[in-house]
Amino acid sequence: MSISVKPRFITFEGIDGCGKSTQAKLLIQKLEDEGKEVVFVREPGGTDISEQVRNILLHSGGDEMTGRTEALLMTASRAQLTKEVIIPSLDNGKWVVADRYADSTLAYQGGGRTIDLEWLIELNQFATFALQPDLTFFVDVLPEIGFERQGGSPDRIERAGLDFQANVRQMYLKLTKRFSDRIVLVDGNHTIDSIQDVIISTLIKRNFI
Ligand code: ADP
Ligand code: TYD
């Protein structure tokens, strides 16, 4: 068995309610059980500045925010989080597990708000200081399933509806094909435990753990 010492940056993606936060937390538990130091982040947010941006993004007003404003605020939050938390953590030998990262902007603002994908890829390059996740799990469910699994009152983006989520999902599927070395599709319809097994065996197969 090979032992990897390199800290990894793993991201979880998918439509709202797909089950990615559940899987991110289970993965962190597993990594910590193996003695790794792990930092958890979730987007938008994760630093003082990014949390303030999150508040504007998810809880301000009605429909007046333009898709471009949304894209710029999402990536502004990301730039701060990347520089303040993610890069220093990796430099200090810690693993980073993220509940959403740059692909969310491609899927939501690209697929959902129909902003040009190539331009968003450039914007992400700028916001992430060109940092790429080592591996991304796309937890795939239909919008109806994601909607059923969501609790509480919906935020501004969740209120955009099932058609919006369907467009976001289509973009995730497209990204999975385009970035096939990095993004792994996981069927989110299975039980929580069997999805976790798939995730762990993917990490083992890639010699990450
Ligand atoms: P997300 O972070 O994608 O919005 P969560 O991980 O918070 O989703 O899960 C949303 C809800 O669905 C939670 O109540 C969670 O317990 C439940 N859930 C997560 N994964 C599954 C699954 N595979 N099957 C059934 N319910 C699930
Ligand atoms: P959150 O409550 O964190 O939802 P979830 O548990 O589904 O991750 O809200 C984040 C919302 O912001 C979610 O609807 C996805 C959206 N989002 C974007 O539209 N673009 C982005 O770049 C990011 C990071 C999130």
Side-chain angles (χ1 to χ4, degrees):
M1 196 164 103
S2 75
I3 294 170
S4 166
V5 288
K6 188 174 180 283
R8 303 289 183 172
F9 177 29
I10 314 264
T11 64
F12 283 83
E13 295 282 354
I15 63 168
D16 295 284
C18 68
K20 63 188 165 33
S21 312
T22 304
Q23 293 302 328
K25 283 174 198 141
L26 287 170
L27 174 60
I28 291 167
Q29 193 58 57
K30 164 84 181 164
L31 294 171
E32 287 180 343
D33 288 349
E34 295 211 343
K36 299 186 193 314
E37 267 197 272
V38 189
V39 173
F40 172 69
V41 293
R42 71 106 163 72
E43 283 207 331
T47 69
D48 283 351
I49 292 170
S50 307
E51 288 294 325
Q52 290 182 54
V53 176
R54 177 184 175 91
N55 199 35
I56 300 171
L57 275 162
L58 300 186
H59 305 298
S60 64
D63 293 337
E64 70 269 34
M65 188 181 294
T66 73
R68 291 182 189 202
T69 307
E70 204 172 82
L72 291 165
L73 289 176
M74 291 291 179
T75 48
S77 163
R78 179 163 309 128
Q80 194 64 32
L81 180 72
T82 304
K83 189 72 174 174
E84 207 179 305
V85 179
I86 300 178
I87 291 174
S89 298
L90 293 167
D91 285 348
N92 285 320
K94 295 175 187 160
W95 284 53
V96 177
V97 173
D99 184 349
R100 298 196 179 284
Y101 195 59
D103 297 310
S104 282
T105 301
L106 306 182
Y108 280 77
Q109 282 64 56
R113 306 286 189 214
T114 67
I115 295 179
D116 180 67
L117 181 65
E118 304 310 316
W119 185 80
L120 288 173
I121 288 172
E122 287 291 308
L123 182 62
N124 266 336
Q125 277 287 103
F126 183 68
T128 60
F129 302 82
L131 177 73
Q132 291 267 1
D134 293 299
L135 188 59
T136 297
F137 291 104
F138 163 41
V139 182
D140 186 34
V141 295
L142 289 171
E144 291 77 5
I145 303 290
F147 182 75
E148 270 172 30
R149 286 183 187 171
Q150 277 172 60
S153 51
D155 61 43
R156 193 181 57 80
I157 294 174
E158 285 164 353
R159 284 197 299 271
L162 286 181
D163 287 350
F164 178 84
Q165 296 288 331
N167 291 335
V168 171
R169 175 172 178 258
Q170 285 308 318
M171 183 57 86
Y172 272 127
L173 291 168
K174 204 167 139 184
L175 296 173
T176 304
K177 285 209 182 87
R178 177 160 168 179
F179 303 111
S180 57
D181 288 350
R182 174 175 62 83
I183 305 181
V184 173
L185 184 150
V186 179
D187 186 344
N189 296 297
H190 297 303
T191 63
I192 291 174
D193 284 353
S194 58
I195 296 170
Q196 195 202 8
D197 288 346
V198 171
I199 287 168
I200 302 298
S201 54
T202 305
L203 291 177
I204 292 170
K205 230 182 284 166
R206 294 193 180 215
N207 289 330
F208 280 18
I209 55 175

